[in-house]
């Protein structure tokens, strides 16, 4: 099952807001449909929104839309993952937007498998791996980055166990990562976000492996909650790995200068569609954390394992 695919000049997106209960594709016929899907997390995860953005540009070109205007609007859909701007700029510079988007689609799959091979070398037989959010097949075209490394270790015959943080407020861990691991037959346990430190303190986690929305000077941006996991990992001596393709690298900016998306307060005020907090509650809802380089053991890429910069 693919997170997204192109067919008959339309983009099909697996609607991740309905998972794990329903498997349904949204059909996008315009670039504005894709922007809507990116903003509402129908498609999400840095590599997946990058490839979706490239196809959004192809839809704009097919419709005869103003490509510069479409590019600006698509880039503004979500600010933190660098893949969005990277993908739009790349197709704009190419000879054929659609051909380049199709190339990026294939590259994403190849990249994740290469990343998996490198990453599997740091995973030992018997390891328990903790992950946060969903950096899996659903966050890419398929296979995944952090979960791709876990898949690769499993394919190598290593006996591994996975612990998924539920990842409030949108529950990408509970809804998406647990689902992916179950489909793969990899033993998985779900914990509330606040339990990660406790499990590390008890020696129940051998390694942490997460994805990234941006790797920049000074560290890595990833889903809110990643910083607390990294701090606990440092305190309890648990190696902390980030798996990210080179398309997620931003060599021009400091990680402290980038925009961190602040999402709708309603995500925090309710749980699974039910209002949880009193009326008139004020909310902060930053969607991403910055994990400083000194908390990161290594960055697993398709080219090998790198030190953060
Ligand atoms: O808000 P999301 O669900 O798009 O956030 C996704 C993450 O934080 C992922 O860990 C990141 O994009 C890496 S996905 C390979």
């Amino acid at each position: 099952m693919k997170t997204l695919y192109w067919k008959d000049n339309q983009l099909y997106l697996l609607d991740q807001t309905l998972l794990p209960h329903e498997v349904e594709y949204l059909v996008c016929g315009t670039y504005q449909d894709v922007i809507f899907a990116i903003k509402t997390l129908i498609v999400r995860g840095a590599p997946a929104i990058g490839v979706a953005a490239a196809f959004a540009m192809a839809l704009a070109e097919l419709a005869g839309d103003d490509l510069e205007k479409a590019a600006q609007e698509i880039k503004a859909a979500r600010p933190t993952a660098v893949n969005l701007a990277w993908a739009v700029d790349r197709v704009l510079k190419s000879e054929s937007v659609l051909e380049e988007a199709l190339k990026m689609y294939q590259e994403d799959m190849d990249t994740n498998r290469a990343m998996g091979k490198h990453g599997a070398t740091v995973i030992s037989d018997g390891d328990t791996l903790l992950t946060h959010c969903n950096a899996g097949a659903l966050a890419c075209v398929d296979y995944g980055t952090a979960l791709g490394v876990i898949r690769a270790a499993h394919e190598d015959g290593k006996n591994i166990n996975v612990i998924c943080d539920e990842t409030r407020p949108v529950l990408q861990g509970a809804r998406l990562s647990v689902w992916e691991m179950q489909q793969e037959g990899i033993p998985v346990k779900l914990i509330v976000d606040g339990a990660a430190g406790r499990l590390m303190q008890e020696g129940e986690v051998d390694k942490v492996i997460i994805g990234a929305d941006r790797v920049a000077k000074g560290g890595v941006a990833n889903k809110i909650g990643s910083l607390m996991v990294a701090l606990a990992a440092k305190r309890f001596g648990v190696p902390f790995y980030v798996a990210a393709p080179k398309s997620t690298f931003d060599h021009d900016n400091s990680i402290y200068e980038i925009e961190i998306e602040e999402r709708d307060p309603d995500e925090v005020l309710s749980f699974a569609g039910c209002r949880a907090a009193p009326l008139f509650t004020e909310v902060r809802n930053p969607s991403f954390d910055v994990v400083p380089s000194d908390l990161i053991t290594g960055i697993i890429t398709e080219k090998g394992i790198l030190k953060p910069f």
Side-chain angles (χ1 to χ4, degrees), residues 29-32 57-66:
T30 67
Y31 80 86
Q32 290 93 343
M57 288 295 289
L59 288 170
E61 189 177 60
L62 282 169
D65 295 323
D66 177 342

Side-chain angles (χ1 to χ4, degrees), residues 129-203:
L129 307 160
L130 183 137
T131 191
H132 188 75
C133 193
N134 172 266
L138 293 163
C140 305
V141 174
D142 79 0
Y143 207 69
T145 60
L147 296 192
V149 169
I150 290 172
R151 275 193 169 88
H154 176 71
E155 284 162 13
D156 285 350
K158 288 176 189 157
N159 229 330
I160 45 174
N161 288 284
V162 175
I163 294 172
C164 292
D165 288 350
E166 64 174 348
T167 319
R168 272 283 284 157
V170 185
L171 303 178
Q172 290 94 331
R175 295 187 303 107
L176 309 176
S177 294
V178 169
W179 186 71
E180 279 195 33
M181 293 295 92
Q182 286 176 343
Q183 306 256 317
E184 207 69 50
I186 298 174
V188 58
K189 285 196 177 78
L190 175 66
I191 60 169
V192 295
D193 297 330
R198 166 82 192 149
L199 265 59
M200 285 191 247
Q201 188 179 41
E202 289 292 291

